[in-house]
Amino acid sequence: MSQHAGPRAESTHHRLYEFAKAALTRIFVHPYATVCELYCGGGVDAEKWDEAQIGHYIGIDGSSSGINQRREAWESQRKAYTADFFELDPCMEDVEIHLKDQTNPADLVCCLKNLQLCFETEERARKLLLNVSSLLKPGGYFFGITPDSSTIWAKYQKNVEAYHNRSSGMKPNIVPNCIRSENYMITFEVEDEKFPLFGKKYQLKFANDISPEIHCLVHFPSFIRLAREAGLEYVEIQNLTEFYDDNRAQFAGMIMNFGPNLVDPRGRLLPRSYDVLGLYTTFIFQKPDPDVAPPLTTPLLHDVTYIQDEAKRVASASDDCLEG
């Protein structure tokens, strides 16, 4: 999401994304915790850590301008917590080298943007998750937000199916590569009917944006597999609309602080909010603590079945009509 204030900051999708970040923070972050934020660049929402009363903050970002913005935001605050900042790309470099003598320093590691960029290759995704594992204390959580590839792919497949039904066998080699709603347009860079595990790029452009964001689909079974190999156990991957509905009693009042016209008087998501939030998902993993309880067992998910089941689930839950 954008790191700059301005007209975009007032857009529906930006306000909803900021709400989702604040909601996750409220659930996971406890007072005096040590929190590590991956791809922390920018200082727009830095105050959420102050409000959460954390004890120590570790900011990691590959952009020198981004990390400087974040440092300046911290320095301009009341300094309620201590902080370290590291300029490095966590899907390219070893974090441990920069941490020096600190071993597993973080109670929580979050990645609230850019996780999807790490899924350009398996090597990048693996490096990120190994770094997360080295940062986390036993029992600690890795959580964040990323575009929901299951939802996006289900919409894409629905679009392809509708196109083929309309064309009645005409132009069999042409696959539509766009998904449109009144709020956004998603364009896949390569027309394809297959979901590769890594490197499936697309552009996401919201209605009020000048330029699109470039993302990669996150193949969730591969995400779970690589996390397990790095010593992290899967807890949950949940679409943000479901996440909101499950926690509506807690968050209905809170979401109203992020602007008008997001929910109805009963706190239910309005159609535009549902459409935008539905593009994203939470993810939660935990580093097991062998001294507290036996490690959780992660269910083995067969890739094809998982994606098909997700596609059916999303297709049945979604009533939006997509154009080719």
Side-chain angles (χ1 to χ4, degrees):
M1 306 305 290
S2 174
Q3 299 169 6
H4 308 284
R8 183 177 176 187
E10 300 303 319
S11 65
T12 298
H13 77 269
H14 186 88
R15 290 186 287 123
L16 285 167
Y17 201 86
E18 293 304 311
F19 158 74
K21 290 195 290 186
L24 268 178
T25 301
R26 180 172 292 189
I27 286 176
F28 278 98
V29 182
H30 52 84
Y32 312 113
T34 294
V35 176
C36 176
E37 184 175 15
L38 305 178
Y39 300 106
C40 67
V44 173
D45 60 348
E47 68 278 357
K48 69 175 178 292
W49 303 118
D50 200 15
E51 294 169 359
Q53 301 179 351
I54 66 171
H56 184 64
Y57 176 86
I58 302 170
I60 296 176
D61 197 277
S63 160
S64 57
S65 60
I67 205 78
N68 287 337
Q69 279 182 302
R70 185 63 190 85
R71 183 184 287 109
E72 289 168 8
W74 171 71
E75 290 174 349
S76 69
Q77 291 176 306
R78 293 184 292 111
K79 292 188 175 62
Y81 56 90
T82 56
D84 290 316
F85 299 93
F86 299 97
E87 183 185 333
L88 64 98
D89 189 335
C91 71
M92 296 289 288
E93 305 173 57
D94 285 323
V95 171
E96 280 185 307
I97 296 172
H98 297 263
L99 293 176
K100 298 176 182 177
D101 296 332
Q102 301 180 61
T103 303
N104 309 127
D107 298 295
L108 301 161
V109 175
C110 67
C111 186
L112 299 169
K113 58 186 178 184
N114 288 359
L115 175 90
Q116 61 275 12
L117 300 182
C118 300
F119 276 74
E120 187 173 354
T121 67
E122 183 168 354
E123 291 72 26
R124 288 167 64 88
R126 178 178 284 111
K127 174 62 72 176
L128 179 90
L129 290 163
L130 288 170
N131 276 327
V132 169
S133 188
S134 71
L135 285 161
L136 272 180
K137 295 176 181 176
Y141 286 95
F142 173 46
F143 69 93
I145 300 170
T146 193
D148 189 338
S149 54
S150 294
T151 294
I152 293 169
W153 192 250
K155 288 177 181 288
Y156 177 61
Q157 292 292 334
K158 187 177 175 182
N159 219 17
V160 169
E161 183 178 343
Y163 176 84
H164 286 318
N165 289 340
R166 284 199 307 270
S167 64
S168 300
M170 300 292 287
K171 302 178 183 177
N173 296 322
I174 299 177
V175 178
N177 64 336
C178 284
I179 302 167
R180 292 186 182 94
S181 84
E182 63 176 290
N183 300 303
Y184 55 80
M185 182 170 70
I186 295 172
T187 307
F188 285 96
E189 293 188 1
V190 178
E191 295 178 354
D192 195 356
E193 293 191 60
K194 296 180 180 178
F195 187 157
L197 306 191
F198 300 93
K200 180 65 173 176
K201 292 186 177 181
Y202 63 95
Q203 297 182 358
L204 171 59
K205 184 178 184 300
F206 286 97
N208 298 323
D209 287 355
I210 298 172
S211 57
E213 305 166 1
I214 308 297
H215 296 314
C216 288
L217 288 178
V218 176
H219 185 254
F220 293 145
S222 295
F223 188 14
I224 293 168
R225 172 178 61 84
L226 291 175
R228 188 190 301 118
E229 291 174 5
L232 304 171
E233 293 295 340
Y234 168 74
V235 177
E236 188 172 62
I237 291 174
Q238 186 178 38
N239 186 275
L240 278 185
T241 58
E242 297 172 5
F243 169 77
Y244 176 78
D245 285 340
D246 284 353
N247 299 281
R248 193 197 311 172
Q250 181 179 357
F251 293 138
M254 179 180 171
I255 197 172
M256 294 178 186
N257 297 330
F258 288 81
N261 305 320
L262 298 178
V263 294
D264 69 14
R266 297 178 62 183
R268 294 176 300 193
L269 293 169
L270 291 173
R272 175 177 289 184
S273 301
Y274 190 93
D275 188 31
V276 172
L277 267 188
L279 282 182
Y280 297 95
T281 183
T282 62
F283 60 85
I284 304 165
F285 293 83
Q286 184 177 28
K287 184 174 182 178
D289 186 345
D291 295 331
V292 174
L296 299 168
T297 56
T298 304
L300 295 173
L301 298 172
H302 189 273
D303 293 1
V304 176
T305 303
Y306 179 78
I307 293 298
Q308 288 175 342
D309 288 348
E310 282 291 287
K312 290 175 183 175
R313 176 185 64 78
V314 173
S316 63
S318 175
D319 295 327
D320 50 340
C321 182
L322 304 173
E323 301 170 14

